[in-house]
Amino acid sequence: MRSALSGPRSAALLALTLTIAGAGAVTAPPSAHASVTRTRLGSSSDVSRTSWNGPAFTFNGDGAVVPATANKAIAAITGGSGSIDVVVLADSAATGSSQTPECDVFMGLSGVNSCTTDVVTSAADGNSSQVNTDVRNAEFVYFAGGNQCVYASWKGTALQSSVQSVIAKGGGSGGGSAGHHINSAVVYDACTASTDSATALANPYDSSVTFTTGMFAWPNYSDTINDSHFVTRDRMGRTMAFVARAVKDGLTTSGKAWGVGVEQGGGSLFLDKNGLATLSGSDAYVVLGDHQPEQAVSGRPLTYSNFKIWHLTAGQTFDFKNRPTCGYYTRSVTNGSPDANLYSGTPITDCSGGGGGTGSAYTEAEPNDSTGTANVITGLTYPAAVTGSMKSTSDRDYYKLSLTAGQTATVACTIPSAYDADLYFMNASGSTLTRSVNDGKGAGESLGWTATSSGTFYADVEAYSGSGSATYSCTITKS
């Protein structure tokens, strides 16, 4: 929704044919697109310049413009000299003392020549010649808070290309709340309803969890899913569900997904052309899912082990070009229930496995159908990724590992839809210590065990029904 500064815009404004709103402000709805309202503040002439120094981006936790990051974006785009033209795109009109709350802030900043607010309420108006001219002549486009489904509906219109052209020439883009959402690679579009954490974790395929891809692909910001009002509205859980869905459904290019949640009340990330994000104001979180979910199936609660979470406070940075492999804490979701203390944790500083904290990869080698023929994985670097398949309805795949006293092993397996497999954890004599036996083909399995004494242990993936060459994948961690 639009921020408190900029609630629903007055419908009466649409009836105006021309209004002079103070010095330098002209409001007029273009005749060819009656649902578009245009208000320009500042100079009536655009800046003329052949080159710019961006791109630069600002991603805000609520709809309000944050001067600290807006100033950084202006300086980055201009290179420290001259001024820019700004366009604010909004999906609804604003009430209150001002019909241009975002532009009011921009016009108070140094280095802004003009600021035009275009209220574009329909997908068809993404092809408005006036709106597209405004955007292409601008050096920074700010998406107001509102309804990101409307913004997503501009995909495939001229407006999508016009915004992309601003970035291509070295300008910038930004937004808050809904405007933050639309700037990520995978957009939670909320086109059916706005979901919450409890709903999304209980069923990550709920009808309220929908996405748009292919809208924007900003430099160094691939495979991201933005979320807003993050802590106040307790959105960590739903971001976890978004990340798991993106990985499961192949919505990203790397097989991984990064949720980027920014808190309201002044939280804002400034992303420079080298991919370095710097936080101003309230907290932000980066949530990485780097493996397939153990369970992400329509109608079932989410199970996902070891999301990697970076917690940023004011002044801290996150390098999206060279994404860090340390500094995160981990949290999991089991059958829709997230771990406690989602918003704080002790960062892991030893990420010797590299690549976002991943370790060795191992593919099963038959025969491994008993403890005596188990594949030995004691020498792997953890967390380790183990893959195999249920080659027959009686197949059992054993993996041998070691634990020290007090050490906890967590095993989380993604099972393909070709068969139903169960997971067991056994001691050195082959006695079952714990197990995971979820029903149904494709149902993931996960378990954990803390050793009371040092010794040898076995993880056993066992066919329950069905078989095939489709690969299961198990992530094994030690902590």
Side-chain angles (χ1 to χ4, degrees):
M1 297 177 66
R2 298 298 297 274
S3 70
L5 281 173
S6 52
R9 294 175 177 266
S10 172
L13 184 62
L14 300 180
L16 296 178
T17 56
L18 181 66
T19 300
I20 304 300
V26 177
T27 301
S31 58
H33 292 268
S35 61
V36 175
T37 301
R38 178 178 186 265
T39 305
R40 184 178 178 109
L41 304 180
S43 174
S44 60
S45 300
D46 292 323
V47 173
S48 178
R49 179 166 158 174
T50 57
S51 64
W52 301 94
N53 296 78
F57 305 89
T58 63
F59 304 138
N60 303 348
D62 58 35
V65 176
V66 176
T69 51
N71 278 324
K72 290 180 179 179
I74 294 165
I77 293 166
T78 62
S81 63
S83 60
I84 65 171
D85 296 298
V86 177
V87 167
V88 172
L89 294 175
D91 72 281
S92 63
T95 57
S97 59
S98 174
Q99 295 161 353
T100 58
E102 298 86 7
C103 277
D104 294 346
V105 177
F106 276 113
M107 290 308 302
L109 305 179
S110 177
V112 176
N113 175 65
S114 72
C115 186
T116 301
T117 300
D118 284 322
V119 180
V120 184
T121 60
S122 71
D125 287 308
N127 292 314
S128 161
S129 59
Q130 181 64 72
V131 172
N132 282 280
T133 297
D134 286 341
V135 170
R136 287 183 176 273
N137 288 343
E139 288 71 52
F140 192 82
V141 180
Y142 187 86
F143 290 84
N147 181 354
Q148 64 261 34
C149 185
V150 175
Y151 298 153
S153 76
W154 299 341
K155 178 182 175 181
T157 70
L159 188 51
Q160 179 187 17
S161 298
S162 293
V163 175
Q164 292 168 337
S165 76
V166 175
I167 306 307
K169 72 180 179 183
S173 177
S177 191
H180 173 48
H181 286 266
I182 199 64
N183 274 284
S184 54
V186 178
V187 178
Y188 168 61
D189 57 35
C191 282
T192 58
S194 180
T195 198
D196 57 22
S197 289
T199 300
L201 291 174
N203 178 12
Y205 286 86
D206 185 82
S207 61
S208 62
V209 183
T210 55
F211 304 99
T212 294
T213 58
M215 183 68 180
F216 299 128
W218 300 145
N220 304 309
Y221 206 60
S222 61
D223 297 346
T224 52
I225 310 171
N226 289 350
D227 208 347
S228 58
H229 305 278
F230 200 66
V231 179
T232 297
R233 300 186 186 179
D234 189 22
R235 286 178 166 175
M236 179 70 81
R238 80 173 198 175
T239 291
M240 289 173 159
F242 296 166
V243 167
R245 274 283 306 274
V247 174
K248 177 68 179 291
D249 296 348
L251 303 182
T252 63
T253 59
S254 65
K256 304 176 183 181
W258 282 261
V260 182
V262 183
E263 173 61 333
Q264 64 186 50
S268 180
L269 284 170
F270 164 68
L271 181 68
D272 69 18
K273 65 180 179 182
N274 297 312
L276 185 66
T278 304
L279 180 68
S280 292
S282 304
D283 294 5
Y285 294 81
V286 179
V287 182
L288 169 61
D290 59 4
H291 61 83
Q292 284 287 321
E294 287 74 44
Q295 178 169 282
V297 180
S298 180
R300 294 181 179 176
L302 177 68
T303 295
Y304 196 106
S305 62
N306 298 316
F307 287 99
K308 297 177 174 68
I309 304 172
W310 286 262
H311 177 196
L312 306 181
T313 57
Q316 291 186 315
T317 61
F318 189 92
D319 190 343
F320 280 97
K321 181 177 182 179
N322 302 293
R323 301 187 187 187
T325 61
C326 292
Y328 58 83
Y329 61 95
T330 61
R331 292 290 183 268
S332 298
V333 177
T334 304
N335 289 324
S337 298
D339 290 343
N341 302 316
L342 290 180
Y343 297 95
S344 62
T346 302
I348 293 173
T349 57
D350 179 12
C351 302
S352 56
T358 57
S360 303
Y362 182 88
T363 302
E364 68 148 325
E366 295 282 2
N368 60 347
D369 297 326
S370 66
T371 57
T373 59
N375 293 160
V376 179
I377 59 172
T378 54
L380 299 185
T381 300
Y382 292 86
V386 175
T387 57
S389 63
M390 296 285 93
K391 298 173 178 60
S392 70
T393 56
S394 61
D395 196 6
R396 302 181 71 167
D397 294 343
Y398 285 82
Y399 301 95
K400 180 179 179 180
L401 64 153
S402 60
L403 296 174
T404 58
Q407 193 171 36
T408 298
T410 301
V411 186
C413 299
T414 300
I415 308 298
S417 59
Y419 46 79
D420 183 356
D422 295 329
L423 177 64
Y424 295 81
F425 199 76
M426 303 172 176
N427 62 17
S429 62
S431 297
T432 298
L433 300 172
T434 187
R435 65 179 186 170
S436 175
V437 289
N438 293 322
D439 290 333
K441 293 181 178 180
E445 308 289 354
S446 61
L447 55 78
W449 181 262
T450 300
T452 56
S453 60
S454 300
T456 296
F457 298 85
Y458 297 93
D460 167 31
V461 182
E462 181 175 331
Y464 179 76
S465 66
S467 62
S469 60
T471 300
Y472 64 79
S473 176
C474 297
T475 300
I476 304 176
T477 62
K478 294 182 181 181
S479 59

